[in-house]
Amino acid sequence: MPGRATSDEQPNLILAGFMGTGKSALGRQLAHRWQRPFLDTDDLVEKLAGASVADIFAEQGEEHFRALERKVIEELIPPAGAIIACGGGLVVPAGMAELVRSKGVVITLFASVDTIIRRTANKSRRPLLKGDEPEVKIRELMKKREQAYMKAGIAVYTDGRSLQQLCVIVGRVYQREVAQLKKASTKPKAKAE
Ligand code: S3P
C-alpha cells in the first residue's frame, strides 16, 4: 500500500478534475486507507479568506477566488505526504497546471456529463453552476477546460467504477509515478564534455 511506511517522504497525491468527478470522496477514502492527511483546497481557501466559497465569488469575484487558490497551492499545502483534492477550476488558469505538478503526482479524474449532473446537485460551494440550465453550463465549462485537465495530470475515468475500484486504479498509477520519479532522481547525471 503506497504511503504506509514513511508518508512524509512520499510525494503528495493531488486530485484534479471537474466538479462532481469524485475528487473529495476518493481523496478521503485513499487518505483513510493509506493513513495520510487529506486536504481539500476549497476548505483551505475558506480558511484563508475567512469566508465561504459562495461569499468569495459573490463579493470579490472569481478572479479573487483563483488568486486564493494559487496562494493555497504555493503556501499552504505540505511539501509531501498528503492527499489533496483541488477545486474543479484550480488547474485551469495559465501556469496553474505546472505549479500543481511541481507539488506532487497529479491525477485528473473525468466523468460523463450525466454523472456530473447527478453529483453536483448540491450547489452551495459551486456558484458557477447556479441558476437555470446547469447542464448547459457544465458542457460549456467542460469544453473550455478539457485541455487544461489533460495537461494537469494523468487521466483516470471514473464512470462505472466503484470507489474501491478507483482506489486500486489510482493507487497503481500513483505507485508507478513515484517509482519513475525515484528512478529519475537516482539516475547518474550525463557527463558534460
Ligand atoms: C469550482 C469548483 C468547486 C469550487 C468552486 C469553483 C470550479 O470545487 O472550487 O465552486 O471552478 O470548477 P469542486 O470541484 O470541489 O466542486
Side-chain angles (χ1 to χ4, degrees):
M1 192 66 60
R4 271 260 164 91
T6 53
S7 69
D8 282 355
E9 288 153 26
Q10 297 280 346
N12 289 322
L13 167 60
I14 303 174
L15 298 172
F18 203 83
M19 294 171 263
T21 51
K23 299 164 298 221
S24 300
L26 180 62
R28 267 199 202 94
Q29 183 64 232
L30 286 170
H32 177 71
R33 289 185 178 209
W34 299 354
Q35 307 270 291
R36 295 214 202 171
F38 171 73
L39 298 165
D40 181 309
T41 63
D42 283 339
D43 292 339
L44 296 173
V45 164
E46 288 186 335
K47 246 189 223 159
L48 183 64
S52 68
V53 169
D55 285 348
I56 301 167
F57 266 81
E59 285 157 26
Q60 283 139 315
E62 182 173 349
E63 218 173 292
H64 184 70
F65 179 78
R66 300 298 169 205
L68 293 170
E69 287 190 314
R70 184 176 188 106
K71 203 169 158 95
V72 159
I73 297 297
E74 280 174 344
E75 297 173 20
L76 297 184
I77 61 168
I83 297 182
I84 297 152
C86 294
L90 187 143
V91 298
V92 177
M96 287 301 283
E98 293 79 0
L99 176 66
V100 171
R101 275 211 311 277
S102 74
K103 302 287 179 177
V105 172
V106 187
I107 293 181
T108 309
L109 302 183
F110 284 87
S112 66
V113 171
D114 284 349
T115 302
I116 290 171
I117 292 169
R118 193 165 32 81
R119 293 209 194 122
T120 53
N122 178 358
K123 309 218 173 15
S124 60
R125 259 184 168 182
R126 294 170 174 142
L128 294 177
L129 299 185
K130 275 205 170 141
D132 298 337
E133 306 192 331
E135 178 173 350
V136 175
K137 288 179 184 150
I138 290 169
R139 287 189 192 279
E140 270 173 19
L141 272 179
M142 196 52 141
K143 211 168 155 194
K144 270 196 214 151
R145 293 176 171 184
E146 209 157 18
Q147 288 305 314
Y149 289 140
M150 295 303 290
K151 193 170 123 189
I154 300 153
V156 168
Y157 294 85
T158 62
D159 275 307
R161 289 170 163 169
S162 68
L163 208 48
Q164 278 68 24
Q165 288 171 321
L166 285 167
C167 282
V168 174
I169 294 164
V170 168
R172 278 197 199 126
V173 174
Y174 174 78
Q175 270 180 313
R176 186 191 71 203
E177 290 304 300
V178 171
Q180 274 175 14
L181 284 173
K182 264 195 194 140
K183 219 166 142 190
S185 71
T186 53
K187 237 188 206 166
K189 298 227 162 57
K191 265 193 200 158
E193 293 296 329

